[in-house]
Amino acid sequence: DLFQGFDVLELDYSDLDNALDETMTKAQDFLGINPAKLESSKVKQETRTLDKVIENYDELKKAFESSEFAHLF
Protein backbone atom coordinates (compact mmCIF):
# COMPACT_ATOMS: atom_id res chain seq x y z
CA ASP A 1 0.00 0.00 0.00
CA LEU A 2 1.43 3.37 -1.04
CA PHE A 3 0.38 5.14 2.17
CA GLN A 4 1.25 2.36 4.62
CA GLY A 5 2.61 3.87 7.80
CA PHE A 6 0.97 7.25 7.17
CA ASP A 7 -2.20 8.64 8.67
CA VAL A 8 -4.82 8.88 5.93
CA LEU A 9 -8.13 10.70 5.93
CA GLU A 10 -10.54 9.43 3.33
CA LEU A 11 -13.18 11.90 2.19
CA ASP A 12 -15.99 11.22 -0.19
CA TYR A 13 -16.99 13.90 -2.68
CA SER A 14 -20.62 13.47 -1.69
CA ASP A 15 -19.66 14.44 1.88
CA LEU A 16 -18.54 17.81 0.55
CA ASP A 17 -21.89 18.16 -1.18
CA ASN A 18 -24.09 16.89 1.65
CA ALA A 19 -22.21 17.87 4.81
CA LEU A 20 -19.64 20.53 3.95
CA ASP A 21 -19.25 21.99 7.45
CA GLU A 22 -18.80 18.62 9.14
CA THR A 23 -16.42 17.39 6.43
CA MET A 24 -14.26 20.52 6.59
CA THR A 25 -14.12 20.30 10.39
CA LYS A 26 -13.07 16.67 10.11
CA ALA A 27 -10.33 17.59 7.61
CA GLN A 28 -9.07 20.48 9.74
CA ASP A 29 -8.99 18.27 12.85
CA PHE A 30 -7.05 15.64 10.90
CA LEU A 31 -4.52 18.28 9.82
CA GLY A 32 -4.19 19.52 13.38
CA ILE A 33 -5.27 23.06 12.64
CA ASN A 34 -7.79 25.22 14.44
CA PRO A 35 -11.18 24.71 12.80
CA ALA A 36 -12.44 27.73 10.89
CA LYS A 37 -15.74 28.23 9.08
CA LEU A 38 -15.03 27.65 5.40
CA GLU A 39 -17.26 28.40 2.45
CA SER A 40 -17.36 26.86 -0.98
CA SER A 41 -18.09 28.50 -4.28
CA LYS A 42 -18.74 25.07 -5.79
CA VAL A 43 -21.74 24.96 -8.09
CA LYS A 44 -23.21 21.72 -9.33
CA GLN A 45 -22.82 21.78 -13.10
CA GLU A 46 -24.88 18.73 -13.99
CA THR A 47 -28.39 18.45 -12.58
CA ARG A 48 -29.57 15.38 -14.50
CA THR A 49 -29.37 11.96 -12.85
CA LEU A 50 -26.58 9.61 -13.92
CA ASP A 51 -28.94 7.35 -15.86
CA LYS A 52 -29.84 10.36 -18.03
CA VAL A 53 -26.22 11.43 -18.54
CA ILE A 54 -24.47 8.10 -19.12
CA GLU A 55 -25.49 6.48 -22.38
CA ASN A 56 -24.81 2.88 -21.24
CA TYR A 57 -25.83 3.36 -17.59
CA ASP A 58 -27.93 0.16 -17.38
CA GLU A 59 -25.07 -1.90 -18.81
CA LEU A 60 -22.60 -0.43 -16.32
CA LYS A 61 -25.00 -0.89 -13.41
CA LYS A 62 -25.37 -4.56 -14.25
CA ALA A 63 -21.62 -5.02 -14.69
CA PHE A 64 -20.86 -3.51 -11.28
CA GLU A 65 -23.85 -4.89 -9.32
CA SER A 66 -21.73 -7.41 -7.40
CA SER A 67 -18.73 -5.17 -6.88
CA GLU A 68 -17.64 -2.71 -4.24
CA PHE A 69 -18.84 0.03 -6.61
CA ALA A 70 -22.49 -1.08 -6.78
CA HIS A 71 -23.51 1.71 -4.41
CA LEU A 72 -22.50 4.27 -7.04
CA PHE A 73 -25.38 3.27 -9.30
Side-chain angles (χ1 to χ4, degrees):
D1 187 39
L2 182 62
F3 298 106
Q4 187 174 1
F6 291 94
D7 292 332
V8 175
L9 174 65
E10 292 187 27
L11 299 175
D12 190 276
Y13 181 81
S14 64
D15 294 335
L16 295 171
D17 194 36
N18 299 324
L20 179 63
D21 291 340
E22 294 86 359
T23 304
M24 290 294 92
T25 298
K26 184 178 178 181
Q28 291 173 80
D29 287 343
F30 177 80
L31 294 170
I33 59 176
N34 292 328
K37 173 80 171 141
L38 302 175
E39 294 185 24
S40 173
S41 60
K42 174 183 71 71
V43 176
K44 191 169 188 171
Q45 295 181 4
E46 181 59 68
T47 58
R48 296 175 293 169
T49 58
L50 290 178
D51 61 319
K52 303 293 187 224
V53 177
I54 301 172
E55 197 171 301
N56 63 338
Y57 179 85
D58 291 332
E59 179 183 343
L60 291 170
K61 183 176 180 176
K62 183 170 177 59
F64 287 101
E65 68 186 1
S66 297
S67 78
E68 64 184 290
F69 305 107
H71 70 279
L72 298 174
F73 291 89

